[in-house]
mmCIF file with all atom_site columns, all heavy atoms in Angstrom:
data_model
loop_
_atom_site.group_PDB
_atom_site.id
_atom_site.type_symbol
_atom_site.label_atom_id
_atom_site.label_alt_id
_atom_site.label_comp_id
_atom_site.label_asym_id
_atom_site.label_entity_id
_atom_site.label_seq_id
_atom_site.pdbx_PDB_ins_code
_atom_site.Cartn_x
_atom_site.Cartn_y
_atom_site.Cartn_z
_atom_site.occupancy
_atom_site.B_iso_or_equiv
_atom_site.pdbx_formal_charge
_atom_site.auth_seq_id
_atom_site.auth_comp_id
_atom_site.auth_asym_id
_atom_site.auth_atom_id
_atom_site.pdbx_PDB_model_num
ATOM 1   N N   . ALA H 1 1  ? 59.977 114.805 118.081 1.00 79.00 ? 61 ALA H N   1
ATOM 2   C CA  . ALA H 1 1  ? 59.874 113.828 116.988 1.00 79.00 ? 61 ALA H CA  1
ATOM 3   C C   . ALA H 1 1  ? 61.077 112.881 116.987 1.00 79.00 ? 61 ALA H C   1
ATOM 4   O O   . ALA H 1 1  ? 60.934 111.674 116.757 1.00 79.00 ? 61 ALA H O   1
ATOM 5   C CB  . ALA H 1 1  ? 59.763 114.545 115.648 1.00 79.00 ? 61 ALA H CB  1
ATOM 6   N N   . GLU H 1 2  ? 62.263 113.421 117.257 1.00 81.00 ? 62 GLU H N   1
ATOM 7   C CA  . GLU H 1 2  ? 63.446 112.575 117.309 1.00 81.00 ? 62 GLU H CA  1
ATOM 8   C C   . GLU H 1 2  ? 63.342 111.555 118.429 1.00 81.00 ? 62 GLU H C   1
ATOM 9   O O   . GLU H 1 2  ? 63.722 110.385 118.270 1.00 81.00 ? 62 GLU H O   1
ATOM 10  C CB  . GLU H 1 2  ? 64.695 113.440 117.503 1.00 81.00 ? 62 GLU H CB  1
ATOM 11  C CG  . GLU H 1 2  ? 65.001 114.362 116.334 1.00 81.00 ? 62 GLU H CG  1
ATOM 12  C CD  . GLU H 1 2  ? 66.257 115.168 116.602 1.00 81.00 ? 62 GLU H CD  1
ATOM 13  O OE1 . GLU H 1 2  ? 67.232 114.614 117.129 1.00 81.00 ? 62 GLU H OE1 1
ATOM 14  O OE2 . GLU H 1 2  ? 66.250 116.379 116.316 1.00 81.00 ? 62 GLU H OE2 1
ATOM 15  N N   . LEU H 1 3  ? 62.827 111.975 119.583 1.00 82.00 ? 63 LEU H N   1
ATOM 16  C CA  . LEU H 1 3  ? 62.672 111.047 120.705 1.00 82.00 ? 63 LEU H CA  1
ATOM 17  C C   . LEU H 1 3  ? 61.686 109.936 120.369 1.00 82.00 ? 63 LEU H C   1
ATOM 18  O O   . LEU H 1 3  ? 61.923 108.754 120.668 1.00 82.00 ? 63 LEU H O   1
ATOM 19  C CB  . LEU H 1 3  ? 62.218 111.813 121.948 1.00 82.00 ? 63 LEU H CB  1
ATOM 20  C CG  . LEU H 1 3  ? 63.213 112.823 122.528 1.00 82.00 ? 63 LEU H CG  1
ATOM 21  C CD1 . LEU H 1 3  ? 62.581 113.586 123.685 1.00 82.00 ? 63 LEU H CD1 1
ATOM 22  C CD2 . LEU H 1 3  ? 64.488 112.117 122.984 1.00 82.00 ? 63 LEU H CD2 1
ATOM 23  N N   . TRP H 1 4  ? 60.563 110.298 119.736 1.00 88.00 ? 64 TRP H N   1
ATOM 24  C CA  . TRP H 1 4  ? 59.577 109.282 119.368 1.00 88.00 ? 64 TRP H CA  1
ATOM 25  C C   . TRP H 1 4  ? 60.130 108.309 118.333 1.00 88.00 ? 64 TRP H C   1
ATOM 26  O O   . TRP H 1 4  ? 59.908 107.090 118.433 1.00 88.00 ? 64 TRP H O   1
ATOM 27  C CB  . TRP H 1 4  ? 58.311 109.952 118.825 1.00 88.00 ? 64 TRP H CB  1
ATOM 28  C CG  . TRP H 1 4  ? 57.393 110.455 119.883 1.00 88.00 ? 64 TRP H CG  1
ATOM 29  C CD1 . TRP H 1 4  ? 57.152 111.753 120.235 1.00 88.00 ? 64 TRP H CD1 1
ATOM 30  C CD2 . TRP H 1 4  ? 56.576 109.654 120.751 1.00 88.00 ? 64 TRP H CD2 1
ATOM 31  N NE1 . TRP H 1 4  ? 56.243 111.823 121.260 1.00 88.00 ? 64 TRP H NE1 1
ATOM 32  C CE2 . TRP H 1 4  ? 55.872 110.548 121.599 1.00 88.00 ? 64 TRP H CE2 1
ATOM 33  C CE3 . TRP H 1 4  ? 56.378 108.292 120.901 1.00 88.00 ? 64 TRP H CE3 1
ATOM 34  C CZ2 . TRP H 1 4  ? 54.985 110.103 122.566 1.00 88.00 ? 64 TRP H CZ2 1
ATOM 35  C CZ3 . TRP H 1 4  ? 55.490 107.838 121.859 1.00 88.00 ? 64 TRP H CZ3 1
ATOM 36  C CH2 . TRP H 1 4  ? 54.802 108.736 122.690 1.00 88.00 ? 64 TRP H CH2 1
ATOM 37  N N   . LEU H 1 5  ? 60.850 108.826 117.352 1.00 86.00 ? 65 LEU H N   1
ATOM 38  C CA  . LEU H 1 5  ? 61.440 107.943 116.343 1.00 86.00 ? 65 LEU H CA  1
ATOM 39  C C   . LEU H 1 5  ? 62.502 107.030 116.948 1.00 86.00 ? 65 LEU H C   1
ATOM 40  O O   . LEU H 1 5  ? 62.591 105.843 116.607 1.00 86.00 ? 65 LEU H O   1
ATOM 41  C CB  . LEU H 1 5  ? 62.043 108.777 115.211 1.00 86.00 ? 65 LEU H CB  1
ATOM 42  C CG  . LEU H 1 5  ? 61.037 109.521 114.322 1.00 86.00 ? 65 LEU H CG  1
ATOM 43  C CD1 . LEU H 1 5  ? 61.771 110.411 113.334 1.00 86.00 ? 65 LEU H CD1 1
ATOM 44  C CD2 . LEU H 1 5  ? 60.140 108.527 113.587 1.00 86.00 ? 65 LEU H CD2 1
ATOM 45  N N   . GLY H 1 6  ? 63.301 107.575 117.862 1.00 86.00 ? 66 GLY H N   1
ATOM 46  C CA  . GLY H 1 6  ? 64.298 106.743 118.539 1.00 86.00 ? 66 GLY H CA  1
ATOM 47  C C   . GLY H 1 6  ? 63.653 105.655 119.380 1.00 86.00 ? 66 GLY H C   1
ATOM 48  O O   . GLY H 1 6  ? 64.114 104.507 119.401 1.00 86.00 ? 66 GLY H O   1
ATOM 49  N N   . ALA H 1 7  ? 62.573 106.023 120.077 1.00 87.00 ? 67 ALA H N   1
ATOM 50  C CA  . ALA H 1 7  ? 61.866 105.029 120.881 1.00 87.00 ? 67 ALA H CA  1
ATOM 51  C C   . ALA H 1 7  ? 61.251 103.943 120.003 1.00 87.00 ? 67 ALA H C   1
ATOM 52  O O   . ALA H 1 7  ? 61.262 102.753 120.358 1.00 87.00 ? 67 ALA H O   1
ATOM 53  C CB  . ALA H 1 7  ? 60.783 105.712 121.717 1.00 87.00 ? 67 ALA H CB  1
ATOM 54  N N   . LEU H 1 8  ? 60.710 104.355 118.846 1.00 90.00 ? 68 LEU H N   1
ATOM 55  C CA  . LEU H 1 8  ? 60.122 103.386 117.927 1.00 90.00 ? 68 LEU H CA  1
ATOM 56  C C   . LEU H 1 8  ? 61.177 102.428 117.397 1.00 90.00 ? 68 LEU H C   1
ATOM 57  O O   . LEU H 1 8  ? 60.951 101.202 117.330 1.00 90.00 ? 68 LEU H O   1
ATOM 58  C CB  . LEU H 1 8  ? 59.446 104.125 116.775 1.00 90.00 ? 68 LEU H CB  1
ATOM 59  C CG  . LEU H 1 8  ? 58.753 103.257 115.720 1.00 90.00 ? 68 LEU H CG  1
ATOM 60  C CD1 . LEU H 1 8  ? 57.632 102.439 116.350 1.00 90.00 ? 68 LEU H CD1 1
ATOM 61  C CD2 . LEU H 1 8  ? 58.210 104.122 114.588 1.00 90.00 ? 68 LEU H CD2 1
ATOM 62  N N   . ALA H 1 9  ? 62.350 102.965 117.020 1.00 89.00 ? 69 ALA H N   1
ATOM 63  C CA  . ALA H 1 9  ? 63.433 102.112 116.521 1.00 89.00 ? 69 ALA H CA  1
ATOM 64  C C   . ALA H 1 9  ? 63.917 101.147 117.601 1.00 89.00 ? 69 ALA H C   1
ATOM 65  O O   . ALA H 1 9  ? 64.158 99.961  117.339 1.00 89.00 ? 69 ALA H O   1
ATOM 66  C CB  . ALA H 1 9  ? 64.587 102.970 116.011 1.00 89.00 ? 69 ALA H CB  1
ATOM 67  N N   . ALA H 1 10 ? 64.033 101.648 118.841 1.00 92.00 ? 70 ALA H N   1
ATOM 68  C CA  . ALA H 1 10 ? 64.473 100.784 119.937 1.00 92.00 ? 70 ALA H CA  1
ATOM 69  C C   . ALA H 1 10 ? 63.444 99.695  120.233 1.00 92.00 ? 70 ALA H C   1
ATOM 70  O O   . ALA H 1 10 ? 63.793 98.545  120.500 1.00 92.00 ? 70 ALA H O   1
ATOM 71  C CB  . ALA H 1 10 ? 64.725 101.627 121.191 1.00 92.00 ? 70 ALA H CB  1
ATOM 72  N N   . THR H 1 11 ? 62.157 100.060 120.154 1.00 93.00 ? 71 THR H N   1
ATOM 73  C CA  . THR H 1 11 ? 61.109 99.070  120.382 1.00 93.00 ? 71 THR H CA  1
ATOM 74  C C   . THR H 1 11 ? 61.144 97.980  119.320 1.00 93.00 ? 71 THR H C   1
ATOM 75  O O   . THR H 1 11 ? 61.007 96.780  119.628 1.00 93.00 ? 71 THR H O   1
ATOM 76  C CB  . THR H 1 11 ? 59.726 99.745  120.385 1.00 93.00 ? 71 THR H CB  1
ATOM 77  O OG1 . THR H 1 11 ? 59.698 100.760 121.391 1.00 93.00 ? 71 THR H OG1 1
ATOM 78  C CG2 . THR H 1 11 ? 58.622 98.734  120.641 1.00 93.00 ? 71 THR H CG2 1
ATOM 79  N N   . LEU H 1 12 ? 61.327 98.389  118.073 1.00 91.00 ? 72 LEU H N   1
ATOM 80  C CA  . LEU H 1 12 ? 61.410 97.418  116.986 1.00 91.00 ? 72 LEU H CA  1
ATOM 81  C C   . LEU H 1 12 ? 62.591 96.482  117.191 1.00 91.00 ? 72 LEU H C   1
ATOM 82  O O   . LEU H 1 12 ? 62.481 95.262  116.993 1.00 91.00 ? 72 LEU H O   1
ATOM 83  C CB  . LEU H 1 12 ? 61.524 98.143  115.647 1.00 91.00 ? 72 LEU H CB  1
ATOM 84  C CG  . LEU H 1 12 ? 61.592 97.270  114.397 1.00 91.00 ? 72 LEU H CG  1
ATOM 85  C CD1 . LEU H 1 12 ? 60.334 96.419  114.268 1.00 91.00 ? 72 LEU H CD1 1
ATOM 86  C CD2 . LEU H 1 12 ? 61.792 98.123  113.148 1.00 91.00 ? 72 LEU H CD2 1
ATOM 87  N N   . LEU H 1 13 ? 63.724 97.028  117.606 1.00 91.00 ? 73 LEU H N   1
ATOM 88  C CA  . LEU H 1 13 ? 64.902 96.202  117.856 1.00 91.00 ? 73 LEU H CA  1
ATOM 89  C C   . LEU H 1 13 ? 64.650 95.221  118.996 1.00 91.00 ? 73 LEU H C   1
ATOM 90  O O   . LEU H 1 13 ? 65.026 94.043  118.912 1.00 91.00 ? 73 LEU H O   1
ATOM 91  C CB  . LEU H 1 13 ? 66.098 97.097  118.175 1.00 91.00 ? 73 LEU H CB  1
ATOM 92  C CG  . LEU H 1 13 ? 67.419 96.381  118.470 1.00 91.00 ? 73 LEU H CG  1
ATOM 93  C CD1 . LEU H 1 13 ? 67.855 95.551  117.271 1.00 91.00 ? 73 LEU H CD1 1
ATOM 94  C CD2 . LEU H 1 13 ? 68.498 97.381  118.845 1.00 91.00 ? 73 LEU H CD2 1
ATOM 95  N N   . LEU H 1 14 ? 63.980 95.681  120.050 1.00 94.00 ? 74 LEU H N   1
ATOM 96  C CA  . LEU H 1 14 ? 63.673 94.793  121.175 1.00 94.00 ? 74 LEU H CA  1
ATOM 97  C C   . LEU H 1 14 ? 62.717 93.678  120.756 1.00 94.00 ? 74 LEU H C   1
ATOM 98  O O   . LEU H 1 14 ? 62.846 92.537  121.207 1.00 94.00 ? 74 LEU H O   1
ATOM 99  C CB  . LEU H 1 14 ? 63.072 95.597  122.323 1.00 94.00 ? 74 LEU H CB  1
ATOM 100 C CG  . LEU H 1 14 ? 64.030 96.533  123.058 1.00 94.00 ? 74 LEU H CG  1
ATOM 101 C CD1 . LEU H 1 14 ? 63.281 97.357  124.110 1.00 94.00 ? 74 LEU H CD1 1
ATOM 102 C CD2 . LEU H 1 14 ? 65.158 95.734  123.728 1.00 94.00 ? 74 LEU H CD2 1
ATOM 103 N N   . VAL H 1 15 ? 61.746 94.006  119.896 1.00 93.00 ? 75 VAL H N   1
ATOM 104 C CA  . VAL H 1 15 ? 60.812 92.983  119.412 1.00 93.00 ? 75 VAL H CA  1
ATOM 105 C C   . VAL H 1 15 ? 61.553 91.913  118.616 1.00 93.00 ? 75 VAL H C   1
ATOM 106 O O   . VAL H 1 15 ? 61.323 90.703  118.783 1.00 93.00 ? 75 VAL H O   1
ATOM 107 C CB  . VAL H 1 15 ? 59.706 93.628  118.553 1.00 93.00 ? 75 VAL H CB  1
ATOM 108 C CG1 . VAL H 1 15 ? 58.885 92.566  117.830 1.00 93.00 ? 75 VAL H CG1 1
ATOM 109 C CG2 . VAL H 1 15 ? 58.791 94.472  119.426 1.00 93.00 ? 75 VAL H CG2 1
ATOM 110 N N   . ILE H 1 16 ? 62.472 92.343  117.754 1.00 90.00 ? 76 ILE H N   1
ATOM 111 C CA  . ILE H 1 16 ? 63.243 91.392  116.952 1.00 90.00 ? 76 ILE H CA  1
ATOM 112 C C   . ILE H 1 16 ? 64.108 90.516  117.852 1.00 90.00 ? 76 ILE H C   1
ATOM 113 O O   . ILE H 1 16 ? 64.161 89.281  117.693 1.00 90.00 ? 76 ILE H O   1
ATOM 114 C CB  . ILE H 1 16 ? 64.107 92.140  115.921 1.00 90.00 ? 76 ILE H CB  1
ATOM 115 C CG1 . ILE H 1 16 ? 63.204 92.831  114.893 1.00 90.00 ? 76 ILE H CG1 1
ATOM 116 C CG2 . ILE H 1 16 ? 65.055 91.174  115.217 1.00 90.00 ? 76 ILE H CG2 1
ATOM 117 C CD1 . ILE H 1 16 ? 63.955 93.701  113.914 1.00 90.00 ? 76 ILE H CD1 1
ATOM 118 N N   . LEU H 1 17 ? 64.782 91.137  118.826 1.00 92.00 ? 77 LEU H N   1
ATOM 119 C CA  . LEU H 1 17 ? 65.615 90.367  119.740 1.00 92.00 ? 77 LEU H CA  1
ATOM 120 C C   . LEU H 1 17 ? 64.771 89.401  120.564 1.00 92.00 ? 77 LEU H C   1
ATOM 121 O O   . LEU H 1 17 ? 65.170 88.256  120.811 1.00 92.00 ? 77 LEU H O   1
ATOM 122 C CB  . LEU H 1 17 ? 66.398 91.304  120.661 1.00 92.00 ? 77 LEU H CB  1
ATOM 123 C CG  . LEU H 1 17 ? 67.483 92.147  119.990 1.00 92.00 ? 77 LEU H CG  1
ATOM 124 C CD1 . LEU H 1 17 ? 68.119 93.099  120.998 1.00 92.00 ? 77 LEU H CD1 1
ATOM 125 C CD2 . LEU H 1 17 ? 68.554 91.251  119.364 1.00 92.00 ? 77 LEU H CD2 1
ATOM 126 N N   . GLY H 1 18 ? 63.587 89.848  120.985 1.00 93.00 ? 78 GLY H N   1
ATOM 127 C CA  . GLY H 1 18 ? 62.695 88.964  121.730 1.00 93.00 ? 78 GLY H CA  1
ATOM 128 C C   . GLY H 1 18 ? 62.237 87.784  120.892 1.00 93.00 ? 78 GLY H C   1
ATOM 129 O O   . GLY H 1 18 ? 62.163 86.649  121.380 1.00 93.00 ? 78 GLY H O   1
ATOM 130 N N   . MET H 1 19 ? 61.929 88.034  119.635 1.00 91.00 ? 79 MET H N   1
ATOM 131 C CA  . MET H 1 19 ? 61.514 86.960  118.738 1.00 91.00 ? 79 MET H CA  1
ATOM 132 C C   . MET H 1 19 ? 62.640 85.946  118.554 1.00 91.00 ? 79 MET H C   1
ATOM 133 O O   . MET H 1 19 ? 62.423 84.727  118.625 1.00 91.00 ? 79 MET H O   1
ATOM 134 C CB  . MET H 1 19 ? 61.102 87.536  117.392 1.00 91.00 ? 79 MET H CB  1
ATOM 135 C CG  . MET H 1 19 ? 60.659 86.500  116.383 1.00 91.00 ? 79 MET H CG  1
ATOM 136 S SD  . MET H 1 19 ? 60.389 87.208  114.739 1.00 91.00 ? 79 MET H SD  1
ATOM 137 C CE  . MET H 1 19 ? 62.076 87.605  114.280 1.00 91.00 ? 79 MET H CE  1
ATOM 138 N N   . LEU H 1 20 ? 63.857 86.456  118.330 1.00 91.00 ? 80 LEU H N   1
ATOM 139 C CA  . LEU H 1 20 ? 64.996 85.558  118.163 1.00 91.00 ? 80 LEU H CA  1
ATOM 140 C C   . LEU H 1 20 ? 65.239 84.733  119.423 1.00 91.00 ? 80 LEU H C   1
ATOM 141 O O   . LEU H 1 20 ? 65.470 83.515  119.353 1.00 91.00 ? 80 LEU H O   1
ATOM 142 C CB  . LEU H 1 20 ? 66.245 86.363  117.809 1.00 91.00 ? 80 LEU H CB  1
ATOM 143 C CG  . LEU H 1 20 ? 66.255 87.044  116.444 1.00 91.00 ? 80 LEU H CG  1
ATOM 144 C CD1 . LEU H 1 20 ? 67.501 87.912  116.289 1.00 91.00 ? 80 LEU H CD1 1
ATOM 145 C CD2 . LEU H 1 20 ? 66.193 86.017  115.332 1.00 91.00 ? 80 LEU H CD2 1
ATOM 146 N N   . GLY H 1 21 ? 65.178 85.397  120.575 1.00 94.00 ? 81 GLY H N   1
ATOM 147 C CA  . GLY H 1 21 ? 65.383 84.678  121.823 1.00 94.00 ? 81 GLY H CA  1
ATOM 148 C C   . GLY H 1 21 ? 64.342 83.593  122.037 1.00 94.00 ? 81 GLY H C   1
ATOM 149 O O   . GLY H 1 21 ? 64.661 82.476  122.478 1.00 94.00 ? 81 GLY H O   1
ATOM 150 N N   . PHE H 1 22 ? 63.080 83.906  121.727 1.00 94.00 ? 82 PHE H N   1
ATOM 151 C CA  . PHE H 1 22 ? 62.011 82.919  121.905 1.00 94.00 ? 82 PHE H CA  1
ATOM 152 C C   . PHE H 1 22 ? 62.205 81.719  120.983 1.00 94.00 ? 82 PHE H C   1
ATOM 153 O O   . PHE H 1 22 ? 62.072 80.557  121.411 1.00 94.00 ? 82 PHE H O   1
ATOM 154 C CB  . PHE H 1 22 ? 60.657 83.573  121.638 1.00 94.00 ? 82 PHE H CB  1
ATOM 155 C CG  . PHE H 1 22 ? 59.504 82.624  121.689 1.00 94.00 ? 82 PHE H CG  1
ATOM 156 C CD1 . PHE H 1 22 ? 59.010 82.178  122.903 1.00 94.00 ? 82 PHE H CD1 1
ATOM 157 C CD2 . PHE H 1 22 ? 58.926 82.167  120.516 1.00 94.00 ? 82 PHE H CD2 1
ATOM 158 C CE1 . PHE H 1 22 ? 57.946 81.289  122.945 1.00 94.00 ? 82 PHE H CE1 1
ATOM 159 C CE2 . PHE H 1 22 ? 57.870 81.277  120.547 1.00 94.00 ? 82 PHE H CE2 1
ATOM 160 C CZ  . PHE H 1 22 ? 57.380 80.832  121.772 1.00 94.00 ? 82 PHE H CZ  1
ATOM 161 N N   . VAL H 1 23 ? 62.536 81.977  119.708 1.00 94.00 ? 83 VAL H N   1
ATOM 162 C CA  . VAL H 1 23 ? 62.711 80.877  118.748 1.00 94.00 ? 83 VAL H CA  1
ATOM 163 C C   . VAL H 1 23 ? 63.858 79.976  119.173 1.00 94.00 ? 83 VAL H C   1
ATOM 164 O O   . VAL H 1 23 ? 63.726 78.740  119.191 1.00 94.00 ? 83 VAL H O   1
ATOM 165 C CB  . VAL H 1 23 ? 62.935 81.444  117.327 1.00 94.00 ? 83 VAL H CB  1
ATOM 166 C CG1 . VAL H 1 23 ? 63.374 80.327  116.373 1.00 94.00 ? 83 VAL H CG1 1
ATOM 167 C CG2 . VAL H 1 23 ? 61.672 82.108  116.806 1.00 94.00 ? 83 VAL H CG2 1
ATOM 168 N N   . PHE H 1 24 ? 65.000 80.573  119.554 1.00 94.00 ? 84 PHE H N   1
ATOM 169 C CA  . PHE H 1 24 ? 66.148 79.751  119.920 1.00 94.00 ? 84 PHE H CA  1
ATOM 170 C C   . PHE H 1 24 ? 65.924 79.033  121.254 1.00 94.00 ? 84 PHE H C   1
ATOM 171 O O   . PHE H 1 24 ? 66.417 77.914  121.447 1.00 94.00 ? 84 PHE H O   1
ATOM 172 C CB  . PHE H 1 24 ? 67.412 80.607  119.975 1.00 94.00 ? 84 PHE H CB  1
ATOM 173 C CG  . PHE H 1 24 ? 67.987 80.899  118.626 1.00 94.00 ? 84 PHE H CG  1
ATOM 174 C CD1 . PHE H 1 24 ? 67.715 82.091  117.979 1.00 94.00 ? 84 PHE H CD1 1
ATOM 175 C CD2 . PHE H 1 24 ? 68.779 79.979  117.968 1.00 94.00 ? 84 PHE H CD2 1
ATOM 176 C CE1 . PHE H 1 24 ? 68.215 82.368  116.725 1.00 94.00 ? 84 PHE H CE1 1
ATOM 177 C CE2 . PHE H 1 24 ? 69.289 80.228  116.716 1.00 94.00 ? 84 PHE H CE2 1
ATOM 178 C CZ  . PHE H 1 24 ? 69.019 81.429  116.088 1.00 94.00 ? 84 PHE H CZ  1
ATOM 179 N N   . LYS H 1 25 ? 65.169 79.629  122.157 1.00 95.00 ? 85 LYS H N   1
ATOM 180 C CA  . LYS H 1 25 ? 64.841 78.959  123.411 1.00 95.00 ? 85 LYS H CA  1
ATOM 181 C C   . LYS H 1 25 ? 63.999 77.707  123.148 1.00 95.00 ? 85 LYS H C   1
ATOM 182 O O   . LYS H 1 25 ? 64.241 76.637  123.719 1.00 95.00 ? 85 LYS H O   1
ATOM 183 C CB  . LYS H 1 25 ? 64.105 79.917  124.338 1.00 95.00 ? 85 LYS H CB  1
ATOM 184 C CG  . LYS H 1 25 ? 63.542 79.270  125.598 1.00 95.00 ? 85 LYS H CG  1
ATOM 185 C CD  . LYS H 1 25 ? 62.801 80.286  126.435 1.00 95.00 ? 85 LYS H CD  1
ATOM 186 C CE  . LYS H 1 25 ? 62.065 79.606  127.589 1.00 95.00 ? 85 LYS H CE  1
ATOM 187 N NZ  . LYS H 1 25 ? 60.984 78.713  127.110 1.00 95.00 ? 85 LYS H NZ  1
ATOM 188 N N   . GLU H 1 26 ? 62.983 77.854  122.278 1.00 93.00 ? 86 GLU H N   1
ATOM 189 C CA  . GLU H 1 26 ? 62.131 76.713  121.961 1.00 93.00 ? 86 GLU H CA  1
ATOM 190 C C   . GLU H 1 26 ? 62.879 75.655  121.144 1.00 93.00 ? 86 GLU H C   1
ATOM 191 O O   . GLU H 1 26 ? 62.561 74.466  121.220 1.00 93.00 ? 86 GLU H O   1
ATOM 192 C CB  . GLU H 1 26 ? 60.900 77.184  121.184 1.00 93.00 ? 86 GLU H CB  1
ATOM 193 C CG  . GLU H 1 26 ? 59.966 78.073  121.986 1.00 93.00 ? 86 GLU H CG  1
ATOM 194 C CD  . GLU H 1 26 ? 59.312 77.307  123.127 1.00 93.00 ? 86 GLU H CD  1
ATOM 195 O OE1 . GLU H 1 26 ? 58.966 76.124  122.931 1.00 93.00 ? 86 GLU H OE1 1
ATOM 196 O OE2 . GLU H 1 26 ? 59.152 77.889  124.219 1.00 93.00 ? 86 GLU H OE2 1
ATOM 197 N N   . ALA H 1 27 ? 63.854 76.082  120.353 1.00 94.00 ? 87 ALA H N   1
ATOM 198 C CA  . ALA H 1 27 ? 64.578 75.149  119.490 1.00 94.00 ? 87 ALA H CA  1
ATOM 199 C C   . ALA H 1 27 ? 65.684 74.393  120.220 1.00 94.00 ? 87 ALA H C   1
ATOM 200 O O   . ALA H 1 27 ? 66.126 73.344  119.734 1.00 94.00 ? 87 ALA H O   1
ATOM 201 C CB  . ALA H 1 27 ? 65.179 75.907  118.304 1.00 94.00 ? 87 ALA H CB  1
ATOM 202 N N   . TRP H 1 28 ? 66.107 74.892  121.365 1.00 95.00 ? 88 TRP H N   1
ATOM 203 C CA  . TRP H 1 28 ? 67.284 74.323  122.029 1.00 95.00 ? 88 TRP H CA  1
ATOM 204 C C   . TRP H 1 28 ? 67.148 72.837  122.358 1.00 95.00 ? 88 TRP H C   1
ATOM 205 O O   . TRP H 1 28 ? 68.121 72.083  122.170 1.00 95.00 ? 88 TRP H O   1
ATOM 206 C CB  . TRP H 1 28 ? 67.614 75.116  123.284 1.00 95.00 ? 88 TRP H CB  1
ATOM 207 C CG  . TRP H 1 28 ? 68.784 74.542  124.025 1.00 95.00 ? 88 TRP H CG  1
ATOM 208 C CD1 . TRP H 1 28 ? 68.791 73.960  125.253 1.00 95.00 ? 88 TRP H CD1 1
ATOM 209 C CD2 . TRP H 1 28 ? 70.134 74.483  123.559 1.00 95.00 ? 88 TRP H CD2 1
ATOM 210 N NE1 . TRP H 1 28 ? 70.052 73.533  125.582 1.00 95.00 ? 88 TRP H NE1 1
ATOM 211 C CE2 . TRP H 1 28 ? 70.903 73.845  124.558 1.00 95.00 ? 88 TRP H CE2 1
ATOM 212 C CE3 . TRP H 1 28 ? 70.770 74.903  122.385 1.00 95.00 ? 88 TRP H CE3 1
ATOM 213 C CZ2 . TRP H 1 28 ? 72.260 73.618  124.420 1.00 95.00 ? 88 TRP H CZ2 1
ATOM 214 C CZ3 . TRP H 1 28 ? 72.117 74.673  122.247 1.00 95.00 ? 88 TRP H CZ3 1
ATOM 215 C CH2 . TRP H 1 28 ? 72.848 74.055  123.262 1.00 95.00 ? 88 TRP H CH2 1
ATOM 216 N N   . PRO H 1 29 ? 65.999 72.325  122.861 1.00 94.00 ? 89 PRO H N   1
ATOM 217 C CA  . PRO H 1 29 ? 65.927 70.886  123.170 1.00 94.00 ? 89 PRO H CA  1
ATOM 218 C C   . PRO H 1 29 ? 66.247 69.999  121.973 1.00 94.00 ? 89 PRO H C   1
ATOM 219 O O   . PRO H 1 29 ? 66.913 68.962  122.137 1.00 94.00 ? 89 PRO H O   1
ATOM 220 C CB  . PRO H 1 29 ? 64.477 70.705  123.635 1.00 94.00 ? 89 PRO H CB  1
ATOM 221 C CG  . PRO H 1 29 ? 64.089 72.032  124.175 1.00 94.00 ? 89 PRO H CG  1
ATOM 222 C CD  . PRO H 1 29 ? 64.776 73.030  123.295 1.00 94.00 ? 89 PRO H CD  1
ATOM 223 N N   . SER H 1 30 ? 65.805 70.371  120.777 1.00 94.00 ? 90 SER H N   1
ATOM 224 C CA  . SER H 1 30 ? 66.091 69.559  119.595 1.00 94.00 ? 90 SER H CA  1
ATOM 225 C C   . SER H 1 30 ? 67.576 69.577  119.264 1.00 94.00 ? 90 SER H C   1
ATOM 226 O O   . SER H 1 30 ? 68.176 68.540  118.972 1.00 94.00 ? 90 SER H O   1
ATOM 227 C CB  . SER H 1 30 ? 65.280 70.068  118.401 1.00 94.00 ? 90 SER H CB  1
ATOM 228 O OG  . SER H 1 30 ? 65.530 69.300  117.249 1.00 94.00 ? 90 SER H OG  1
ATOM 229 N N   . PHE H 1 31 ? 68.201 70.762  119.313 1.00 94.00 ? 91 PHE H N   1
ATOM 230 C CA  . PHE H 1 31 ? 69.627 70.860  119.022 1.00 94.00 ? 91 PHE H CA  1
ATOM 231 C C   . PHE H 1 31 ? 70.469 70.167  120.095 1.00 94.00 ? 91 PHE H C   1
ATOM 232 O O   . PHE H 1 31 ? 71.451 69.489  119.787 1.00 94.00 ? 91 PHE H O   1
ATOM 233 C CB  . PHE H 1 31 ? 70.043 72.329  118.907 1.00 94.00 ? 91 PHE H CB  1
ATOM 234 C CG  . PHE H 1 31 ? 69.539 72.997  117.665 1.00 94.00 ? 91 PHE H CG  1
ATOM 235 C CD1 . PHE H 1 31 ? 68.967 74.266  117.722 1.00 94.00 ? 91 PHE H CD1 1
ATOM 236 C CD2 . PHE H 1 31 ? 69.632 72.379  116.431 1.00 94.00 ? 91 PHE H CD2 1
ATOM 237 C CE1 . PHE H 1 31 ? 68.502 74.899  116.583 1.00 94.00 ? 91 PHE H CE1 1
ATOM 238 C CE2 . PHE H 1 31 ? 69.160 73.001  115.277 1.00 94.00 ? 91 PHE H CE2 1
ATOM 239 C CZ  . PHE H 1 31 ? 68.598 74.259  115.360 1.00 94.00 ? 91 PHE H CZ  1
#
């Protein structure tokens, strides 16, 4: 259970980081 919860937390963190990276990548030409 600890391994699954850790994997879930890491996946959520990766999704958030991926979202941030995508938004800033698309926004860079305007800035």
